[in-house]
Structure formats: C-alpha cells, structure tokens
Amino acid sequence: MEQHRFLLKADWPGGRNDVGFIETSNLKTKISIPTEMDGPGIGTNPDEMLLGAAATCYIITLAAMMERRKIPVESLTQESEGIVEVDKGVITYKKIIHRPKVILERNCTADQIETVKQLTERAEKSCMISRAIQGNVEIGLEAIVELAN
C-alpha cells in the first residue's frame, strides 16, 4: 500500500482573536477567525480551507475524468459555497455546494455531453475530500454543461 504524507505547521500566538500562521510546502498564509464569526478576518480560516479542499478536489477529479475519456473541454470553471450554521453557540459546517460550469468544444457529440453530465455527479462521489466528509457535511451540486458558441 502506498501512502502520501502532508505536513502543515501552525503557529498560534494566544487567544481567540489573535492572528496565526500556517505553512505547508505550497501554502503559507495568516489565519484567524472570520469576521462573520466576530473574529479579525485576517488571512484564511478553517471554513474557507475546508471549502477550498472540497472545491479543488472536486474540480481536479472532474477534469481528470473528462481527460481520461478524451472529451474536448474548452473551459472548466467553478464556484463553490460553504454554509456554516451557528445554533446556540454550536458551529456546524452544514453544506458545500459546487457549481461547476463545463464549456465543451463545439464538435462534441450528444453522447459526450451526456457523459460529462454523468461525470459531474460521479466526480463528487469519487473525490477524496468528499468521501472524507461524507455523512458530516452535505454536498450539493449545480452543474452546467454547455457547448461553446
């Protein structure tokens, strides 16, 4: 069995509203509680990072699936939204909604268009991060698949 290890170093100076720092091999940023939760809102925060992990995993998985099937993609963009609920002081990450927009080259066939629609669903179930949070955070999908003009 092959394993990959990822290391994150964190430095937190003290209290709730302080500003810390995280570093990985490819990410270095300040961290704090977001302003939406009465924090300083400097750098990123766990809510954005979970959303970023889920969104990047999804879009990369979808791109790889389309590439393996040699589907001619003109562009692939995405917006993702995270919904966090605060109820009586308990904070819960409720839902992530991915909104990918796949623009296929004009010469795509009807079968390829249908395949891409199926892949948008399959990518969410195949993504490592989606599988890791499954049962804890609901994942929604609002995909658009179109032919280029």
Side-chain angles (χ1 to χ4, degrees):
M1 175 188 307
E2 184 178 353
Q3 289 186 343
H4 302 279
R5 296 181 184 269
F6 299 94
L7 178 64
L8 180 140
K9 295 179 185 176
D11 180 19
W12 191 260
R16 178 194 187 279
N17 285 327
D18 283 335
V19 177
F21 187 80
I22 59 169
E23 179 178 346
T24 69
S25 60
N26 292 304
L27 174 67
K28 296 174 176 70
T29 187
K30 291 180 181 179
I31 56 170
S32 72
I33 294 174
T35 55
E36 295 87 348
M37 295 179 184
D38 300 320
I42 297 172
T44 192
N45 57 70
D47 310 280
E48 288 177 343
M49 292 183 67
L50 181 59
L51 179 61
T56 55
C57 185
Y58 175 83
I59 200 167
I60 290 168
T61 301
L62 178 57
M65 289 177 156
M66 290 187 297
E67 182 179 272
R68 276 194 294 272
R69 286 162 184 78
K70 297 182 179 10
I71 294 175
V73 177
E74 185 165 300
S75 74
L76 173 58
T77 58
Q78 176 177 305
E79 289 185 3
S80 292
E81 177 181 9
I83 299 168
V84 176
E85 182 178 274
V86 181
D87 183 23
K88 298 177 187 160
V90 177
I91 302 169
T92 305
Y93 215 115
K94 296 300 282 186
K95 186 173 186 175
I96 292 174
I97 305 164
H98 298 305
R99 297 180 179 103
K101 184 173 184 178
V102 183
I103 307 295
L104 300 172
E105 292 182 6
R106 292 184 66 175
N107 61 344
C108 279
T109 66
D111 284 346
Q112 288 174 314
I113 294 167
E114 186 56 36
T115 296
V116 171
K117 289 177 182 177
Q118 292 171 6
L119 291 177
T120 62
E121 297 281 338
R122 196 173 310 153
E124 186 272 311
K125 293 171 182 61
S126 300
C127 165
M128 171 182 67
I129 301 299
S130 294
R131 290 193 328 263
I133 63 176
Q134 184 177 23
N136 292 306
V137 178
E138 181 185 346
I139 304 286
L141 184 64
E142 298 172 8
I144 295 171
V145 180
E146 300 175 343
L147 287 177
N149 293 329

